[in-house]
Amino acid sequence: MANRVPVIAGNWKMNTDVESGLKLASDILRLTNDVSGVEKIVCPPFISITRIAEELSGSSIQVGAQNVSSSANGALTGEISATMLQGQVSHVIVGHSERRAQNNETSEQISLKAIAVAEARMTPILCTGEDLAIRQAGKASSFVSEQLEANLAGFTEWDSLIVAYEPVWAIGTGEAATSDQAQEMTAVCREVIRKLAPHAADSIRVLYGGSVNSGNVGELLSQPDIDGALVGGASLKADEFSKLIVAASSG
Ligand code: 13P
């Protein structure tokens, strides 16, 4: 984990309503507000963001969004722009594999989203990762390298970026990457950053995501290029998510 401050971010995906989301946020707060040496982020559905941001205001937990439009405003029914999120959230997930697959998001759109988020003074959490067929073909490294480079086209705000390596085959399957696999691929991500922005490569946090839980988080975080976790299922249980935060704080 080098000397970068670790990040534990929860991607709630399309789970929780406003009331249960508020309860989850306040339970996580109660269990972890005093835990230091780790950045804590929860990313609820859009509908809950305002209330949860109020609930967590002034606390050690930050709020993120799960998506953003690549456009500034206009006739885009159902979309939410970066400037609308400004002041509500500190981070925005972009390029999650579920959105790439289900919403046909292209690399070009994803790079525009990352730029829009950074221009609005928030931090993009840019996701990248290969699917099973690519891994089995032995092409995981070259795929992630090319995907991440394409997604960072035109990006300049290197002081404000988090990258998350999330292999599609490990998301929601209960089968996390091994710590060796995750280390190898987070190092690939860091090399891409080094190529694009040499001065930022050793400070940008690169997270691992995909079936992270309290049983595997310690070994994952002990790897030199893994600076934290982007967590789906386990972020919906306050006690389990809190264990990840505690593990990162002492890791
Ligand atoms: P799981 O932790 O449920 O595998 O989800 C990972 C993820 O997609 C986080 O963005």
Side-chain angles (χ1 to χ4, degrees), residues 17 68 133 144 197 200 204 214:
D17 57 20
V68 67
V144 163
I204 286 177
S214 58

Side-chain angles (χ1 to χ4, degrees), residues 11 13 96 98 166 170-172 209-212 230-233:
N11 175 7
K13 307 191 180 182
H96 194 282
E98 286 155 12
E166 294 208 315
I171 294 177
S211 297
V212 174
L230 182 55
V231 185

Side-chain angles (χ1 to χ4, degrees), residues 148-231:
L148 187 56
E149 192 165 341
N151 294 171
L152 286 169
F155 192 82
T156 54
E157 303 292 326
W158 299 103
D159 292 341
S160 182
L161 175 68
I162 293 174
V163 170
Y165 166 63
E166 294 208 315
V168 177
W169 48 270
I171 294 177
T173 60
E175 274 206 38
T178 65
S179 53
D180 285 350
Q181 289 170 324
Q183 164 55 30
E184 184 187 352
M185 296 302 293
T186 48
V188 165
C189 294
R190 198 174 303 286
E191 282 320 299
V192 172
I193 300 164
R194 197 176 304 284
K195 184 170 148 195
L196 299 174
H199 65 283
D202 292 323
S203 55
I204 286 177
R205 273 80 56 89
V206 182
L207 316 183
Y208 166 77
S211 297
V212 174
N213 58 42
S214 58
N216 59 25
V217 71
E219 195 176 337
L220 287 162
L221 292 181
S222 71
Q223 303 300 313
D225 282 293
I226 302 179
D227 306 317
L230 182 55
V231 185

Side-chain angles (χ1 to χ4, degrees), residues 106-128:
T106 64
S107 276
E108 193 189 354
Q109 283 171 320
I110 291 162
S111 68
L112 292 175
K113 288 180 184 211
I115 291 167
V117 169
E119 279 180 351
R121 319 284 350 139
M122 299 173 290
T123 300
I125 302 176
L126 175 57
C127 303
T128 181

